[in-house]
Amino acid sequence: MMVLLAILVVFLFFFVRVAYETVTCYWVIPRRIRRIMEKQGVCGPKPRFLTGNILDMASLVSKSTSKDMDSIHHDIVGRLLPHFLVWSKLYGKRFIYWNGIEPRMCITETELIKELLSRYSTKAGKSWLQQQGSKHFIGRGLLMANGDDWHHQRHISYAGYMVDCTEGMLRSLKSAMESGQTEFEIGEHMSRLTADIISKTEFDCSYEKGKQIFHLLTVLQNRCAQASRHLCLPGSRFFPSKYNREIKSLKTEVERLLLEIIQSRKDCVEVGRSNSFGNDLLGMLLNEMRDKRGISGGFSLNQQLIMDEIKTFFFAGHDTTALLLTWTVMLLASNPTWQDKVRAEVREVCGSNRGAPSVDQLPKLTLLNMVINESLRLYPPASVLPRMAFEDIKLGDLHIPKGLSIWIPVLAIHHSEELWGKDVNEFNPERFSSKSFAPGRFIPFAAGPRNCVGQGFAIMEAKIILAMLISRFSFVISENYRHAPVVVLTIKPKYGVQIRLTPLSY
């Protein structure tokens, strides 16, 4: 009887504690934040009970993306962020809206954005709800890390892998053309190419297993994208729903394959066949962790951290680069004058190297760099950039309370006529001929100390692939192309990008 009573007391204690924390998290704190911001004049649309403004946003996006665009133009803010346009007209440059029970402040003032991303880089990061939506996909790797967990990122250069893999893709395209094919969905080829590069970069000798992991992570990414459209209630991730079962199954299979690769590397070192875990990304992470542990004696491998880092770099190095390449090819295929300019530059810089630039030649491709920046401006990888305040901060004239999420609408800022001029929705790489534009208005990879871990890797990869492609082929947009950008975590072409290729003699 005493044991049962003790169990009952413990159960009641935990029940009361969970209930208190739930009410505090889901009701008390959000309402407190709302009152603080309203006193400073920051208001927004009225939230519904529990769902906030989710249904309003879903309805607006569903309506705006229900039809394809009638021509290739780049005025896409109203299509992808219709709720931002509606609410910014009603409430101004700063307003509060609700993602379920989470209050989010949207800001577009470049000075505030610059201050947030640089001055408060360690005091603002991903919120719990944002991490919930992607933790099965990339876990707590560099992309989702907060504070000191993030600082050990390293820049890795694999130009040789990039050139070799690109040569393979170009041979494949030429072979298909010799068989009579003239139209290609370039997004598929870019996705496969960047997957080959990142698989080789991360796993090298485990390349085939890396390709299996790539496929599973791609499926997992699409499933995790659904999380942003659902209300996340306490304990909902434990419900045995079809969605949760599928997510768990995919995550388990990805981590099983990763553990097999990690274990095989450990075995080689332990039996003395190698004194290193390898020169690829996985090997570098394992070597670095062994060296750090070795100082205090012994080697304790944090396998979950390693797996999260691998998944993070995979996402940063594959998905964003494939989309950058796809959108850039679409823009160049639609603008033959700029395509000719870039081709002439590549041939001048690379000489007889068949368009394959060396690392030293990459900075000299200034026109190509301008085109890539304009592509990132018009079609940034992410439409929004989220941060949550981990403590009270002073941002410009605003007091930001702990727990408030701040959302930066990157796409809207990149398409702001006030910031970029009347030709804001036109493809004009000349605007990047100098770096005189105001800080905070061009942020495709965020900014400040916590900018995207894959930025340098992605830009180098994009330059090499585009230089080689444009020197071997000319291309125009196909009459079958349907312009319909959509958001699935990142901004994607709904039906891919169809182009017609013509081989060139170099």
Side-chain angles (χ1 to χ4, degrees):
M1 196 68 179
M2 292 296 293
V3 172
L4 288 174
L5 183 61
I7 293 173
L8 180 61
V9 170
V10 171
F11 175 79
L12 287 174
F13 171 77
F14 279 107
F15 177 80
V16 171
R17 181 178 176 180
V18 169
Y20 171 79
E21 290 179 352
T22 299
V23 170
T24 301
C25 177
Y26 281 73
W27 184 263
V28 177
I29 293 177
R31 266 61 194 175
R32 171 181 168 270
I33 291 173
R34 182 182 183 180
R35 288 194 300 271
I36 291 173
M37 298 314 297
E38 284 180 346
K39 287 180 180 178
Q40 300 178 81
V42 183
C43 303
K46 185 178 180 181
R48 304 171 194 244
F49 179 67
L50 286 182
T51 60
N53 302 115
I54 288 179
L55 297 179
D56 303 317
M57 290 187 287
S59 175
L60 287 167
V61 171
S62 177
K63 184 178 179 180
S64 65
T65 56
S66 61
K67 296 181 180 179
D68 302 338
M69 299 175 72
D70 54 8
S71 63
I72 299 177
H73 65 86
H74 314 302
D75 187 6
I76 59 173
V77 179
R79 176 182 175 86
L80 302 183
L81 298 178
H83 47 288
F84 167 80
L85 288 187
V86 172
W87 294 334
S88 62
K89 287 178 182 178
L90 290 173
Y91 306 106
K93 291 185 176 181
R94 23 172 113 155
F95 59 83
I96 295 279
Y97 69 99
W98 293 71
N99 187 71
I101 52 82
E102 181 184 65
R104 295 177 173 177
M105 182 178 72
C106 183
I107 60 171
T108 57
E109 294 143 290
T110 56
E111 286 303 313
L112 296 187
I113 292 169
K114 178 185 174 184
E115 184 179 3
L116 176 68
L117 297 179
S118 56
R119 182 178 176 186
Y120 296 114
S121 62
T122 60
K123 297 180 181 179
K126 308 293 184 180
S127 76
W128 174 79
L129 283 177
Q130 294 149 33
Q131 291 179 357
Q132 283 299 113
S134 60
K135 73 172 187 175
H136 293 301
F137 177 43
I138 56 176
R140 297 297 182 91
L142 300 176
L143 196 64
M144 296 302 292
N146 292 317
D148 293 335
D149 293 337
W150 164 81
H151 285 292
H152 69 286
Q153 77 108 340
R154 298 176 66 176
H155 177 71
I156 304 170
S157 215
Y158 286 99
Y161 286 148
M162 295 173 184
V163 170
D164 291 344
C165 291
T166 305
E167 287 282 5
M169 183 197 74
L170 297 178
R171 287 195 298 269
S172 174
L173 290 174
K174 188 174 182 180
S175 176
M177 294 185 71
E178 290 172 350
S179 301
Q181 185 178 347
T182 57
E183 181 175 303
F184 298 85
E185 200 292 276
I186 199 65
E188 293 179 357
H189 290 274
M190 292 305 181
S191 185
R192 284 198 295 269
L193 173 57
T194 53
D196 283 348
I197 291 171
I198 204 69
S199 296
K200 195 78 173 171
T201 300
E202 291 199 15
F203 304 112
D204 196 9
C205 60
S206 309
Y207 172 63
E208 288 303 322
K209 194 162 287 187
K211 290 175 71 175
Q212 295 178 50
I213 294 170
F214 155 71
H215 172 71
L216 291 169
L217 281 175
T218 302
V219 176
L220 191 55
Q221 176 193 2
N222 291 327
R223 297 295 183 273
C224 287
Q226 300 173 16
S228 62
R229 301 193 292 270
H230 292 95
L231 180 64
C232 190
L233 296 172
S236 60
R237 67 185 184 278
F238 300 114
F239 295 163
S241 64
K242 180 181 178 181
Y243 171 78
N244 283 342
R245 290 198 306 272
E246 187 174 8
I247 290 290
K248 183 177 180 181
S249 175
L250 288 166
K251 178 176 181 286
T252 300
E253 181 63 11
V254 167
E255 296 193 345
R256 182 187 69 79
L257 292 169
L258 285 172
L259 282 173
E260 285 182 4
I261 297 174
I262 292 171
Q263 190 59 48
S264 68
R265 301 285 180 96
K266 285 182 65 182
D267 291 344
C268 286
V269 172
E270 287 173 357
V271 300
R273 292 211 309 261
S274 173
N275 59 3
S276 168
F277 291 104
N279 296 320
D280 52 14
L281 176 68
L282 175 59
M284 290 182 69
L285 289 170
L286 292 172
N287 287 325
E288 182 178 331
M289 189 162 286
R290 178 187 60 180
D291 293 343
K292 286 183 177 179
R293 299 296 183 185
I295 295 173
S296 57
F299 174 35
S300 175
L301 179 64
N302 186 334
Q303 292 180 331
Q304 189 61 53
L305 176 62
I306 292 290
M307 289 189 293
D308 287 348
E309 296 289 15
I310 289 293
K311 288 186 284 184
T312 296
F313 199 80
F314 187 97
F315 178 71
H318 164 256
D319 190 65
T320 55
T321 312
L323 287 170
L324 166 58
L325 289 162
T326 302
W327 287 122
T328 306
V329 169
M330 185 276 290
L331 290 166
L332 287 172
S334 308
N335 295 270
T337 301
W338 270 99
Q339 187 180 147
D340 291 341
K341 288 181 181 180
V342 173
R343 183 175 294 111
E345 178 186 66
V346 170
R347 291 185 171 183
E348 180 182 351
V349 170
C350 299
S352 60
N353 202 25
R354 293 182 57 78
S358 66
V359 173
D360 294 336
Q361 290 171 334
L362 290 176
K364 299 176 183 177
L365 297 173
T366 54
L367 292 179
L368 179 57
N369 193 65
M370 287 158 55
V371 167
I372 288 172
N373 280 342
E374 181 70 340
S375 177
L376 286 167
R377 185 187 70 83
L378 292 170
Y379 298 91
S383 59
V384 295
L385 176 63
R387 291 290 185 267
M388 173 180 272
F390 299 139
E391 58 185 71
D392 289 358
I393 61 176
K394 182 73 173 175
L395 190 63
D397 61 333
L398 290 173
H399 167 68
I400 305 297
K402 176 183 176 181
L404 176 61
S405 281
I406 302 171
W407 281 62
I408 303 167
V410 176
L411 183 67
I413 291 168
H414 283 190
H415 287 254
S416 168
E417 184 176 322
E418 179 183 346
L419 296 174
W420 296 95
K422 292 189 179 297
D423 67 342
V424 64
N425 291 315
E426 297 176 16
F427 176 70
N428 178 20
E430 286 289 351
R431 70 179 87 245
F432 287 99
S433 59
S434 68
K435 296 183 178 180
S436 59
F437 50 83
R441 74 173 189 173
F442 182 61
I443 46 175
F445 296 106
R450 273 197 51 116
N451 64 338
C452 176
V453 61
Q455 177 176 353
F457 186 96
I459 295 299
M460 179 175 69
E461 186 176 5
K463 284 184 177 181
I464 289 173
I465 293 170
L466 289 168
M468 294 178 69
L469 174 69
I470 208 167
S471 65
R472 314 285 179 89
F473 299 94
S474 67
F475 41 92
V476 295
I477 205 76
S478 168
E479 62 275 9
N480 296 317
Y481 173 62
R482 295 156 67 186
H483 195 51
V486 293
V487 174
V488 184
L489 288 184
T490 47
I491 300 177
K492 301 176 182 285
K494 185 176 182 179
Y495 309 106
V497 173
Q498 292 76 27
I499 62 170
R500 293 191 177 278
L501 291 172
T502 302
L504 299 171
S505 57
Y506 194 89

